Amino acid sequence: MLLIHNVCPDHGDRLIRRTLTTDEPIPKGAVWIDLLKPTSLEDKKIEAHLGISIPTREEMHDLEPSEIIYTENGAHYMTARVICQSETDVPKLADVTFILTEAALVTVRYDEPGAFGIFLNRATKPDGCGMEPAAVLEGLIEAIVDRAAEVLRGVGDRIDARSRQIFDGKSSDVEQGGAYQAVIRKIGQYEHLISNVRESMVSVERVLLFLSANFKRSKKSASAITPEWRSAIRDVQAIEEHATFISSKLQFMLDATLGLVGLEQNKIIKLFSVVAVVLMPPTLIASIYGMNFKAMPELEWAHGYPMALAMMVVFAILPYLFFRWKKWL
């Protein structure tokens, strides 16, 4: 799908989104060309229009670390990993290639990250976005960072909810182990999601550092890092620090959960131990009177059987009372 975003000067500068067919020419004033699952014909059309090469999906996926970010024929090629909603509850990472030229920004993607929808909602409003390729790229990166922060905030809220569930859980849930099992499974999912956010922000930070060192615009600061890039880099680093903090909370929750599981197991083992000690004296008495010796006068007693039962009950109660006195139960 070939999506073209033109400048609309009436009622304030804003972007207009158009979907082009393969036969339609690229209109003038297109500052952003978004290739969503492009065909080979669409790739060739953009290559002929801007004089650049468009990477295929296989090339984007198999890029070496040294080939993720580079400059070719005056165009800056940058591939970042962006948080994208998946069929499961855990968002995945989608490869997005940004090609920044003087004429237009080209994005090549084969998924639909939520950050693109967030940016389009802003950019299609009057004065919602700058009307040059670099400004569009700034807005996209800002939306990607905002989306990552939103995902991370959601993870933090769910972690707090799970923490309350495990530490304030009902005794029935704890005894059955249902709460512990659910929390441990969720901890694994949350850690995977946090790793995805961190990996995405690392790739975005590389893009920003590359732009700050290799791309300068007129009417901007003479320093290597323009204010926009500097602010975005700070935001990315803040998200990375937040991800590290949440990851440490997850590790604490995992350790605490495993510790509580150990405590519950110790309670069960202690219960079995008490039952074994309580039943030991009655078992001894029953074993003694179960022996087949002739010289056992108690066997001839009329009240021998009730006496043996009474002894079993008494010697079973005594250890229990002793454990209660020692507060071991």
Side-chain angles (χ1 to χ4, degrees):
M1 184 183 298
L2 182 56
L3 305 176
I4 303 296
H5 301 80
N6 296 72
V7 178
C8 179
D10 56 329
H11 304 292
D13 289 341
R14 62 188 179 93
L15 292 180
I16 296 180
R17 185 179 189 182
R18 293 179 55 193
T19 303
L20 296 186
T21 63
T22 308
D23 298 331
E24 292 184 84
I26 304 297
K28 294 181 179 180
V31 295
W32 177 21
I33 301 175
D34 187 19
L35 295 174
L36 175 59
K37 300 178 181 178
T39 63
S40 59
L41 293 178
E42 291 172 341
D43 286 345
K44 292 178 181 179
K45 184 176 182 178
I46 301 303
E47 290 174 350
H49 177 72
L50 296 175
I52 60 176
S53 63
I54 304 297
T56 63
R57 186 171 192 172
E58 291 74 17
E59 292 173 345
M60 292 171 55
H61 184 71
D62 298 333
L63 284 175
E64 296 293 334
S66 60
E67 299 175 342
I68 292 177
I69 300 175
Y70 62 94
T71 301
E72 182 179 274
N73 297 328
H76 302 292
Y77 290 77
M78 300 153 288
T79 299
R81 310 204 74 189
V82 181
I83 294 293
C84 181
Q85 190 63 39
S86 64
E87 296 178 356
T88 62
D89 294 335
V90 181
K92 63 179 181 179
L93 290 176
D95 293 325
V96 178
T97 297
F98 303 93
I99 307 174
L100 181 60
T101 67
E102 294 182 0
L105 169 69
V106 180
T107 53
V108 185
R109 56 193 177 101
Y110 291 87
D111 293 283
E112 300 189 32
F116 279 72
I118 294 174
F119 173 69
L120 282 173
N121 290 334
R122 302 173 183 170
T124 52
K125 298 178 181 178
D127 299 322
C129 176
M131 293 298 105
E132 57 180 6
V136 175
L137 179 57
E138 288 173 4
L140 274 173
I141 291 179
E142 181 182 356
I144 291 171
V145 174
D146 290 344
R147 174 59 179 161
E150 180 183 350
V151 170
L152 206 57
R153 183 171 59 251
V155 173
D157 294 340
R158 283 181 281 178
I159 289 175
D160 292 339
R162 290 290 175 179
S163 179
R164 289 192 296 270
Q165 177 186 2
I166 192 63
F167 293 113
D168 300 335
K170 298 180 179 179
S171 58
S172 59
D173 294 336
V174 170
E175 291 174 358
Q176 295 175 3
Y180 293 146
Q181 294 177 11
V183 168
I184 291 175
R185 285 195 297 267
K186 287 298 182 181
I187 285 176
Q189 295 179 6
Y190 296 155
E191 184 60 37
H192 178 62
L193 179 53
I194 292 172
S195 299
N196 285 349
V197 172
R198 186 183 287 112
E199 185 177 350
S200 175
M201 291 299 97
V202 168
S203 66
V204 171
E205 186 176 8
R206 290 191 61 188
V207 170
L208 291 171
L209 292 174
F210 172 79
L211 289 170
S212 65
N214 296 277
F215 184 81
K216 295 181 182 178
R217 291 180 291 170
S218 59
K219 301 180 182 180
K220 289 293 179 180
S221 173
S223 62
I225 302 180
T226 61
E228 291 81 1
W229 306 136
R230 187 185 298 113
S231 176
I233 290 174
R234 286 197 298 265
D235 291 342
V236 168
Q237 292 174 346
I239 291 177
E240 291 174 348
E241 293 177 0
H242 190 200
T244 302
F245 169 71
I246 292 181
S247 183
S248 64
K249 287 180 63 177
L250 272 181
Q251 185 61 45
F252 166 75
M253 185 186 298
L254 178 61
D255 294 340
T257 303
L258 294 177
L260 291 174
V261 170
L263 290 176
E264 294 302 320
Q265 291 177 342
N266 290 338
K267 288 182 181 179
I268 296 173
I269 294 174
K270 182 169 66 174
L271 178 61
F272 287 155
S273 301
V274 169
V275 171
V277 172
V278 168
L279 294 179
M280 190 179 299
T283 303
L284 177 62
I285 294 172
S287 300
I288 292 175
Y289 290 108
M291 293 185 295
N292 297 321
F293 291 108
K294 292 183 178 181
M296 295 182 68
E298 296 88 351
L299 298 179
E300 302 295 333
W301 293 355
H303 300 288
Y305 178 68
M307 181 200 69
L309 293 179
M311 291 175 59
M312 291 181 187
V313 172
V314 170
F315 284 107
I317 293 175
L318 289 178
Y320 174 77
L321 295 178
F322 177 77
F323 290 147
R324 295 285 293 183
W325 176 63
K326 285 289 188 178
K327 297 181 179 180
W328 292 347
L329 291 177

